[in-house]
Amino acid sequence: MPGIDEWARPVVELNPAPGEPTAADSHIGGPLLWPADEPWPHCDGSTHEGSTDSPSAHAVGVRVPFVSALQLYRRDFPELPFPADTDVLQVFLCTLRHERNWGPDVHVVWRDTARVTTTIAEEPRPELQEPDLAPAPRLLKPVRDVEYPMLEELPKALIDSLEAAQEDYDEFFDTWPDVATGSKIGGWTAWWQTGPGPGPECPECGDPRRQTLALATHEPSGDDVGWEFGREGVLNVFMCPRDVNHPFEVHID
């Protein structure tokens, strides 16, 4: 299809599967390679959602430890935009609901494993958490592909030209490739509740942030992780393509 190649993006579907991950593995919900001499990250509790009778409401203003959500090594996922001198991405969730997105807060660490000499003996666990935000341990069986956006994200002029090039109008829409709805890195956003909009701009440099990571309520394989985001949706993390250390945006859809 003329004009569509520039919209192709590599995607890696994480394809989580039951297992017993270690700190040496890429995984969801397993132990992290965390230095013993580095403080474990905590959520300060200032934005815990307090309007309902829930664990989150009882933790408003309460400092709680983040929970290990995801660990991805560069050797397994070179597609990630690792900063120089880092080789593992560690993602944490505050497993309480927050006012801004009715979901977890997200904390990200890019780490150089060569600088980790002694690892933490035991990861702290929150005394209060929403059970449906806590992940079960999963190993990853990645599947690599190329992904195109939903038609709603393409410029109208391009859609018109693509339609004109097709002999069968209905077949064009019916055969347009789906956006992966499971947990993944890269690719495009699987909008289904709010619909696509302009990409959030990086507040530091102004570049449009891009879909970098998605954590899904439901996996295509049926091996769900156990967390639920929004109305059985996907937690999407948009990062600045110029510098992933710039502030990122989280959107649950």
Side-chain angles (χ1 to χ4, degrees):
M1 293 184 182
I4 198 62
D5 288 349
E6 65 183 276
W7 295 87
R9 289 182 182 176
V11 63
V12 185
E13 298 179 55
L14 297 182
N15 194 24
E20 298 181 3
T22 71
D25 297 315
S26 294
H27 60 68
I28 286 176
L32 299 182
L33 186 78
W34 192 264
D37 59 353
E38 185 173 328
W40 187 265
H42 283 66
C43 175
D44 66 12
S46 61
T47 60
H48 290 159
E49 210 290 319
S51 65
T52 60
D53 186 15
S54 66
S56 301
H58 294 289
V60 174
V62 177
R63 187 172 180 265
V64 297
F66 278 95
V67 170
S68 162
L70 180 69
Q71 179 167 265
L72 300 175
Y73 282 93
R74 183 198 287 263
R75 65 171 187 263
D76 301 324
F77 298 95
E79 296 87 353
L80 279 167
F82 285 94
D85 300 322
T86 68
D87 58 1
V88 65
L89 167 63
Q90 297 170 324
V91 179
F92 299 79
L93 299 182
C94 172
T95 49
L96 292 163
R97 290 189 172 84
H98 289 250
E99 294 172 347
R100 185 171 180 273
N101 61 6
W102 193 251
D105 193 17
V106 179
H107 180 71
V108 168
V109 174
W110 302 89
R111 182 177 300 287
D112 177 8
T113 59
R115 301 180 67 177
V116 181
T117 55
T118 305
T119 57
I120 192 170
E122 184 178 359
E123 297 179 2
R125 308 296 297 180
E127 294 184 8
L128 288 172
Q129 67 177 355
E130 301 286 353
D132 60 356
L133 292 180
R138 292 287 189 271
L139 292 170
L140 306 176
K141 299 181 178 180
V143 176
R144 288 167 167 82
D145 204 347
V146 173
E147 193 165 71
Y148 295 89
M150 299 174 65
L151 284 169
E152 293 88 339
E153 290 212 69
L154 294 176
K156 185 178 184 304
L158 177 57
I159 294 177
D160 291 343
S161 67
L162 292 173
E163 289 176 358
Q166 307 305 309
E167 295 182 0
D168 189 320
Y169 179 86
D170 291 331
E171 183 181 2
F172 167 68
F173 283 95
D174 291 342
T175 59
W176 186 259
D178 292 331
V179 176
T181 58
S183 298
K184 63 185 181 181
I185 60 174
W188 290 86
T189 308
W191 305 104
W192 74 282
Q193 296 185 64
T194 63
E201 291 185 351
C202 174
E204 291 201 11
C205 68
D207 282 4
R209 288 181 281 201
R210 287 181 55 152
Q211 173 85 40
T212 306
L213 176 67
L215 302 177
T217 299
H218 297 299
E219 300 293 342
S221 66
D223 286 324
D224 295 345
V225 174
W227 47 32
E228 180 179 349
F229 303 116
R231 293 179 295 171
E232 301 185 50
V234 177
L235 184 150
N236 300 287
V237 179
F238 296 84
M239 292 186 174
C240 175
R242 181 178 300 189
D243 188 343
V244 293
N245 289 310
H246 287 175
F248 57 85
E249 176 79 8
V250 175
H251 183 85
I252 295 175
D253 193 84

